[in-house]
Amino acid sequence: MEETGKKVIFSGIQPSGNLTIGNYLGALKNWVKLQDEYDCYYCVVDLHAITARQEPKDLRRRTLEILAIYLAAGLDPEKNTMFIQSHVSAHTEAAWLLNCNTYVGELSRMTQYKTKSSKFGNDTSISAGLLNYPVLMASDILLYQTDLVPVGLDQKQHLELTRNIAERFNNAYSPTFKIPEPYIPKEGSKIMDLQEPLKKMSKSSENPNSFILLMDPPEVIKKKISRAVTDSIGIVKYSDEQPGVKNLMNILNTLTGESFDCIEKKYAGKGYAEFKEDVATAIINEFEPIQNKVEMILADKTNLEKIYKAGAEKANYIANKTLRKMQKKIGFIPVSK
Ligand code: AQP
């Protein structure tokens, strides 16, 4: 297998719902920019998705759709290793080894765990998978000796935990893992819920008006943006006092590159209607070409299969090399050939 000498990037999106503009701006759009400079592993993290109950047929459909979206957004399968997480069993094997080097205390302090488990109230039926999610994420990243992990701001805490787990393992045994750095975009790193703009936009939200999906048709995008919660101030201003407007300005700025100053001047004295229309247009302009390609890519299942099989082959090779190293250092007896 060819070694490129380039720095390594790993990132993934879970098929726990349809992709939102948050996933696109916080992650995918940046991945495309990085593909020439780095040796990139881009994964559809289906094992992560089952920390919440998934309908099997929806999980299958979304897994392939996300892969098709990666391609349609501009990721080149010749330049990147693109694969499905469950096709590389080293991820779950390494996760067990890392679980034994991770403390329940640090896992239960994770913000995402606290938010997601709070939905169960005092119920004891919270899945252990939800608690252990960051350990699987650590194994995803560490198996590829990753240098950089391009993620949205919500994943920063999990990445810090990955670094701690890696350092702990390296200290307990001997240097095994590269310590990865987060790569968080300046713009678009935290897109907020359109209905509750103090909350992060999430694909698993129950209210479809709270998010824009990458595959939403233009008329749906227009409707959702026109319904986005703003305020009664009526001035387009980039301010924490106006979280709804600030979020829409962030979206516009990330998509068009227009500065916040420019946006404020452009809509001065005009209220919100025209501003919202322009935000919707910018989203449609970005998404329409991607949507058209997704349909075509999904129609050619043979090609899609060829891509994820080749991806899994390369990923398995690299991931197993690290896994064997971990097993040896822990003291397991190698399987004789
Ligand atoms: N609102 C967001 N703004 C910017 N970036 C975001 N990301 C997620 N939401 C936003 C980034 O998208 C990548 C993939 O995320 P994920 O699928 O691994 O899981 P997540 O972070 O938990 O995303 P969701 O949409 O909120 O999923 P659910 O609802 O299933 O939990 C990550 O890089 C993430 O930072």
Side-chain angles (χ1 to χ4, degrees):
M1 202 73 45
E2 155 202 19
E3 304 276 343
T4 62
K6 290 178 176 175
K7 285 197 167 181
V8 175
I9 278 193
F10 179 95
S11 204
I13 298 181
Q14 39 169 345
S16 46
N18 297 315
L19 247 66
T20 70
I21 190 170
N23 304 129
Y24 178 73
L25 295 180
L28 185 52
K29 192 171 162 66
N30 303 299
W31 298 359
V32 179
K33 294 181 200 152
L34 299 166
Q35 63 182 337
D36 290 314
E37 212 182 315
Y38 296 90
D39 182 13
C40 303
Y41 292 80
Y42 292 130
C43 186
V44 182
V45 288
D46 53 350
L47 296 166
H48 282 281
I50 62 162
T51 51
R53 175 80 64 209
Q54 304 295 334
E55 194 58 50
K57 70 172 182 351
D58 291 340
L59 184 62
R60 273 191 288 272
R61 176 185 58 76
R62 286 199 216 107
T63 301
L64 291 183
E65 187 176 279
I66 291 183
L67 196 67
I69 290 175
Y70 287 0
L71 295 162
L75 289 181
D76 180 346
E78 299 293 324
K79 291 183 186 159
N80 306 288
T81 307
M82 298 168 69
F83 66 105
I84 297 169
Q85 187 189 25
S86 62
H87 291 178
V88 183
S89 58
H91 288 239
T92 34
E93 290 182 65
W96 173 252
L97 308 186
L98 296 179
N99 258 309
C100 297
N101 285 279
T102 306
Y103 306 128
V104 172
E106 57 193 350
L107 291 176
S108 55
R109 279 196 296 276
M110 293 292 109
T111 307
Q112 190 185 75
Y113 173 72
K114 287 200 268 190
T115 313
K116 291 195 173 179
S117 61
S118 68
K119 290 183 192 139
F120 294 87
N122 285 330
D123 195 340
T124 48
S125 61
I126 299 164
S127 90
L130 197 59
L131 181 72
N132 289 319
Y133 174 110
V135 187
L136 180 60
M137 178 167 159
S139 106
D140 299 340
I141 295 165
L142 299 175
L143 281 172
Y144 299 93
Q145 303 295 348
T146 301
D147 293 280
L148 282 182
V149 187
V151 282
L153 204 55
D154 62 316
Q155 292 295 340
K156 189 167 178 249
Q157 195 185 33
H158 288 163
L159 199 69
E160 274 158 15
L161 181 64
T162 297
R163 290 166 56 88
N164 291 342
I165 296 172
E167 275 164 3
R168 191 174 301 143
F169 192 100
N170 285 352
N171 289 336
Y173 299 100
S174 62
T176 309
F177 302 121
K178 201 172 262 179
I179 308 298
E181 299 282 342
Y183 184 95
I184 295 169
K186 277 199 207 78
E187 291 95 23
S189 66
K190 194 167 184 186
I191 303 299
M192 309 308 277
D193 184 299
L194 297 179
Q195 294 303 310
E196 295 176 70
L198 293 175
K199 224 172 85 179
K200 180 188 90 103
M201 182 185 287
S202 271
K203 61 174 115 62
S204 58
S205 163
E206 271 154 28
N207 179 359
N209 282 322
S210 70
F211 49 64
I212 301 281
L213 297 178
L214 219 145
M215 296 305 284
D216 272 342
E219 59 281 10
V220 173
I221 295 177
K222 282 185 196 154
K223 206 179 279 171
K224 287 183 178 177
I225 293 293
S226 76
R227 286 181 186 160
V229 166
T230 47
D231 49 64
S232 54
I233 299 172
I235 298 168
V236 176
K237 188 161 181 270
Y238 197 73
S239 147
D240 288 340
E241 311 287 299
Q242 298 174 253
V245 171
K246 186 178 170 186
N247 188 34
L248 296 178
M249 287 178 78
N250 270 331
I251 293 175
L252 192 60
N253 158 268
T254 313
L255 288 172
T256 64
E258 273 179 281
S259 70
F260 298 122
D261 225 29
C262 252
I263 299 172
E264 285 178 0
K265 285 195 184 109
K266 191 164 160 190
Y267 301 102
K270 292 184 177 168
Y272 295 145
E274 191 181 326
F275 165 61
K276 282 182 157 183
E277 268 171 41
D278 290 352
V279 173
T281 305
I283 299 172
I284 294 164
N285 289 344
E286 181 90 7
F287 285 1
E288 246 180 350
I290 299 178
Q291 293 173 352
N292 295 337
K293 285 188 203 147
V294 168
E295 300 306 332
M296 271 165 35
I297 295 167
L298 278 175
D300 189 351
K301 289 278 183 305
T302 315
N303 186 47
L304 208 53
E305 194 180 321
K306 204 174 104 201
I307 291 168
Y308 67 67
K309 266 182 150 172
E313 198 180 323
K314 161 129 191 254
N316 264 302
Y317 175 79
I318 304 288
N320 279 317
K321 261 194 357 190
T322 306
L323 179 65
R324 298 290 164 252
K325 225 165 142 184
M326 292 168 75
Q327 291 168 329
K328 196 170 153 204
K329 293 193 182 199
I330 289 173
F332 295 158
I333 295 182
V335 181
S336 47
K337 291 204 177 123

